[in-house]
């Protein structure tokens, strides 16, 4: 998708601070971090929202959560705790329409979220 910010990061057309990548996923630091660790785990393939997933994407989404758990462990937050979030559409505050799993760690996180 030529006008998608995250597709541009994936293509190397705009910079991202990469912390993980494999054949299907990349993960990079959020530009406006909301916690000491705030990483976005993003599939290389453009998928606009969770509403666009199909059963064929089940393994891909599972791998996004496993990547998040691995990064949380790498940073020492596996036992302390961390949060993983997908925002979908307007009321949830989705601003980039290429699915991404937020990984937040390193501080106490309130519940319910705002
Ligand atoms: P969401 O509101 O769930 O769609 O999340 C989009 C996230 O992308 C926000 O947390 C932004 O801070 C983050 N973001 C926007 N532009 C960039 C960028 N160029 N590099 C890294 N993160 C970005
Ligand atoms: Zn995209």
């Amino acid at each position: 998708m030529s006008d998608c910010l995250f597709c541009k990061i994936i293509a190397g057309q705009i910079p991202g601070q990469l912390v993980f990548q494999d054949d299907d996923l990349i993960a990079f630091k959020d530009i406006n971090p909301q916690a000491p660790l705030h990483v976005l785990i993003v599939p290389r393939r453009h998928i606009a929202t969770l509403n666009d997933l199909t059963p064929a994407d089940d393994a891909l989404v599972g791998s996004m959560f496993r990547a998040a758990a691995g990064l949380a462990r790498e940073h020492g937050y596996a036992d302390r705790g961390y949060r993983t979030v997908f925002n979908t559409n307007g009321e949830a505050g989705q601003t980039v329409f290429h699915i991404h799993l937020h990984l937040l760690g390193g501080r106490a996180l309130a519940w319910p979220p705002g």
Side-chain angles (χ1 to χ4, degrees):
M1 267 239 159
S2 54
D3 60 346
C4 170
L5 177 65
F6 288 175
C7 282
K8 286 180 180 155
I9 293 177
I10 290 159
Q13 290 164 0
I14 61 172
Q17 267 191 279
L18 266 57
V19 294
F20 170 83
Q21 55 181 320
D22 67 15
D23 287 349
D24 300 316
L25 305 178
I26 74 166
F28 49 86
K29 293 198 172 165
D30 196 292
I31 204 167
N32 182 23
Q34 302 300 311
L37 176 67
H38 187 175
V39 166
L40 305 174
I41 296 106
V42 183
R44 291 183 185 275
R45 180 159 56 87
H46 182 87
I47 301 169
T49 80
L50 288 198
N51 295 332
D52 300 299
L53 291 172
T54 73
D57 299 318
D58 288 359
L60 177 69
V61 175
S63 73
M64 292 172 76
F65 280 103
R66 298 224 332 111
L71 286 164
R73 179 167 296 283
E74 243 177 57
H75 285 81
Y77 301 136
D79 295 327
R80 271 176 66 174
Y82 57 92
R83 187 166 291 168
T84 46
V85 178
F86 280 101
N87 294 321
T88 300
N89 281 337
E91 287 198 357
Q94 184 175 5
T95 58
V96 178
F97 287 82
H98 179 138
I99 62 167
H100 48 281
L101 182 59
H102 292 260
L103 166 63
L104 298 141
R107 67 172 175 86
L109 296 161
W111 192 264

